[in-house]
Amino acid sequence: MAAKSMKCALGSQLLTTRFDSQSSKVRAFSVRCSSVPFSTDGAAAVGLVERPWKVADARLVLEDGSIWRAKSFGASGTQVGEVVFNTSLTGYQEILTDPSYAGQFVLMTNPHIGNTGVNFDDEESKQCFLAGLVIRSLSISTSNWRCTGTLGDYLAERNIMGIYDVDTRAITRRLRQDGSLIGVLSTEEKKTDKELLEMSRTWDIVGVDLISGVSCKVPYVWVDKTDSEWQFNSETKGETFHVIAYDFGIKHNILRRLASYGCKITVVPSTWTASETLKMKPDGVIFSNGPGDPSAVPYAVETVKEIIGKVPVFGICMGHQLLGQALGGSTYKMKFGHHGGNHPVRNLRSGRVEISAQNHNYAVDPASLPKGVQVTHVNLNDGSCAGLAFPERKLMSLQYHPEASPGPHDSDLAFGEFMQLMTQEKEKA
């Protein structure tokens, strides 16, 4: 006799119903069964295994009181920092190793991060200085011919915290509306939400000297040029100029581009005196990018004051802000800053629009600058000052990264302009 049976679990009972296909009779009976409380040992006893996916084990607590549950990767622990968002589509390893992010959590607006892995060629410094990384989706695999490791292992080896499976779009909207916020990232369950919120509200990044923590300690000579496979916009030249580069958090590709344009480069610490620099008789001086508030490093402003007018100078990012203050101008903290490889900038002298790579939370107030200083570039997103020139004092500056790592190479010609500035000065001598 053919028959079919149907079973369903109801509480602690197993209800079995048997249908006879050749008759209309239905027989039903119940069997009482026992349950096993779920635990690690219990799961093993009944043949179950742990979930094959990771569960939320981290919190990002912002100073506005919002709490964001997430999954951790990289290092574990508790860290505090300023949360900023970066709109770059790629180049996360250059971002991780950019010293200008010291004291900050970087939130990537591009949702998929980690798919190209990591490699040593894309590092912009010898270590990671940022406080942590916040992403939407962590790639479960890597696919790139230069890949030597995974993003998670890379962060863990450098003791940098990261979180994923968090709504980065919602956090970005909050930052755009309210401005950059202080946050605390933690994987420690013993710390309460209230404790983490208190940490976020008692920590501040404004007025803190972050440059001294990322600068080199002693001078050194840089010789590496841009590799031939990545060379663009200029022919590699022999050493024509001697340039002193102040390390406020300088990126390696700034140095490589200078070397490719024909510069012998001596990198000096942020505390290196102007008198020592001038004794070395350089053809020009670079004031580099760097993290934090330019008003928190008055010693650097004084150094810039003593050098400008004596030799050609080029300020980049933090260096641009220090030049603005040294000239008598003022700087201000922006609402959420500029972080990304896709910011449009207009060169007011040529009318040319460049797509630029930017990373800064402060800007120079052009209305505060003295007569004779020219605003040469303007950010087309918000109209902020993106470049200065003062021909009488032999200086130029940009509020963004002409080496464009990561980012487009539209602004690389700025290095050529600096070469022209030094050439003109040499011809006068």
Side-chain angles (χ1 to χ4, degrees):
M1 180 182 294
K4 298 179 181 179
S5 63
M6 178 178 69
K7 299 179 180 180
C8 61
L10 297 174
S12 62
Q13 291 185 337
L14 183 65
L15 178 64
T16 301
T17 306
R18 185 175 178 84
F19 298 90
D20 192 323
S21 62
Q22 295 184 3
S23 71
S24 59
K25 294 180 180 180
V26 178
R27 290 182 295 172
F29 58 91
S30 62
V31 178
R32 188 167 301 276
C33 55
S34 61
S35 61
V36 179
F38 183 81
S39 66
T40 302
D41 295 337
V46 296
L48 299 178
V49 295
E50 293 183 2
R51 293 184 180 94
W53 59 85
K54 188 178 178 72
V55 296
D57 62 343
R59 289 165 291 169
L60 173 63
V61 179
L62 301 180
E63 63 177 307
D64 64 359
S66 61
I67 300 171
W68 307 83
R69 304 286 174 177
K71 300 173 185 177
S72 68
F73 69 109
S76 58
T78 299
Q79 182 63 268
V80 61
E82 181 182 41
V83 184
V84 298
F85 62 89
N86 187 297
T87 55
S88 295
L89 299 181
T90 186
Y92 54 80
Q93 192 174 355
E94 291 95 328
I95 292 167
L96 289 171
T97 52
D98 181 352
S100 296
Y101 281 115
Q104 294 179 322
F105 294 123
V106 180
L107 180 151
M108 301 296 295
T109 59
N110 184 33
H112 194 60
I113 300 296
N115 55 311
T116 58
V118 294
N119 68 84
F120 294 110
D121 292 336
D122 288 346
E123 294 187 331
E124 288 295 329
S125 64
K126 292 183 178 180
Q127 68 182 87
C128 298
F129 290 98
L130 80 172
L133 182 66
V134 180
I135 62 175
R136 176 65 184 91
S137 177
L138 178 64
S139 177
I140 61 174
S141 62
T142 58
S143 179
N144 186 276
W145 63 277
R146 295 190 298 147
C147 174
T148 59
T150 66
L151 177 58
D153 290 343
Y154 181 87
L155 293 185
E157 291 168 2
R158 288 154 181 78
N159 198 34
I160 301 297
M161 299 181 68
I163 59 171
Y164 67 104
D165 269 9
V166 64
D167 193 344
T168 53
R169 188 172 183 177
I171 298 175
T172 300
R173 287 198 300 265
R174 190 175 295 253
L175 297 177
R176 283 185 58 85
Q177 176 179 326
D178 301 333
S180 299
L181 297 170
I182 303 301
V184 179
L185 182 57
S186 181
T187 60
E188 299 182 84
E189 295 182 4
K190 64 181 180 180
K191 292 190 180 295
T192 66
D193 293 342
K194 184 177 180 180
E195 288 175 324
L196 298 180
L197 180 60
E198 183 65 20
M199 287 178 63
S200 71
R201 291 178 174 174
T202 55
W203 188 87
D204 201 354
I205 198 171
V206 178
V208 178
D209 176 7
L210 296 175
I211 287 177
S212 58
V214 302
S215 178
C216 63
K217 305 306 178 185
V218 294
Y220 64 92
V221 176
W222 180 275
V223 295
D224 292 343
K225 299 179 180 181
T226 304
D227 289 343
S228 57
E229 59 185 325
W230 310 116
Q231 183 65 17
F232 54 89
N233 283 354
S234 72
E235 297 180 2
T236 301
K237 305 172 183 177
E239 293 180 351
T240 306
F241 304 104
H242 179 210
V243 172
I244 302 296
Y246 271 82
D247 181 10
F248 300 135
I250 198 165
K251 295 171 68 179
H252 287 173
N253 272 303
I254 290 177
L255 299 171
R256 292 190 184 105
R257 295 311 296 148
L258 286 170
S260 292
Y261 271 94
C263 296
K264 174 186 175 182
I265 308 160
T266 303
V267 184
V268 299
S270 60
T271 54
W272 196 252
T273 64
S275 59
E276 289 297 321
T277 293
L278 296 174
K279 283 180 185 177
M280 300 167 75
K281 300 187 182 303
D283 296 305
V285 174
I286 289 276
F287 297 115
S288 82
N289 62 290
D293 184 355
S295 298
V297 287
Y299 62 88
V301 176
E302 289 303 314
T303 299
V304 174
K305 280 183 181 180
E306 294 176 30
I307 292 176
I308 56 176
K310 298 181 175 66
V311 295
V313 300
F314 182 14
I316 297 174
C317 207
M318 170 62 77
H320 160 86
Q321 298 162 17
L322 295 175
L323 277 171
Q325 290 196 1
L327 291 169
S330 60
T331 56
Y332 62 93
K333 193 174 193 297
M334 307 176 80
K335 185 175 182 180
F336 47 78
H338 296 156
H339 310 278
N342 47 12
H343 286 254
V345 170
R346 182 183 296 279
N347 185 327
L348 298 180
R349 294 171 297 183
S350 66
R352 182 173 178 262
V353 174
E354 305 168 8
I355 303 302
S356 65
Q358 304 205 8
N359 175 22
H360 61 103
N361 269 39
Y362 294 82
V364 174
D365 179 5
S368 67
L369 296 170
K371 185 178 180 180
V373 181
Q374 305 169 5
V375 175
T376 58
H377 298 73
V378 173
N379 188 299
L380 294 180
N381 283 338
D382 58 11
S384 60
C385 174
L388 297 173
F390 197 169
E392 293 180 9
R393 305 293 298 276
K394 298 174 284 193
L395 68 83
M396 58 179 287
S397 68
L398 293 176
Q399 180 58 91
Y400 50 97
H401 293 261
E403 87 293 344
S405 297
H409 301 142
D410 297 20
S411 305
D412 188 74
L413 294 176
F415 290 109
E417 293 177 19
F418 184 48
M419 302 305 121
Q420 293 176 6
L421 203 59
M422 291 189 288
T423 299
Q424 293 170 2
E425 188 64 18
K426 266 193 170 184
E427 290 174 350
K428 292 179 183 178

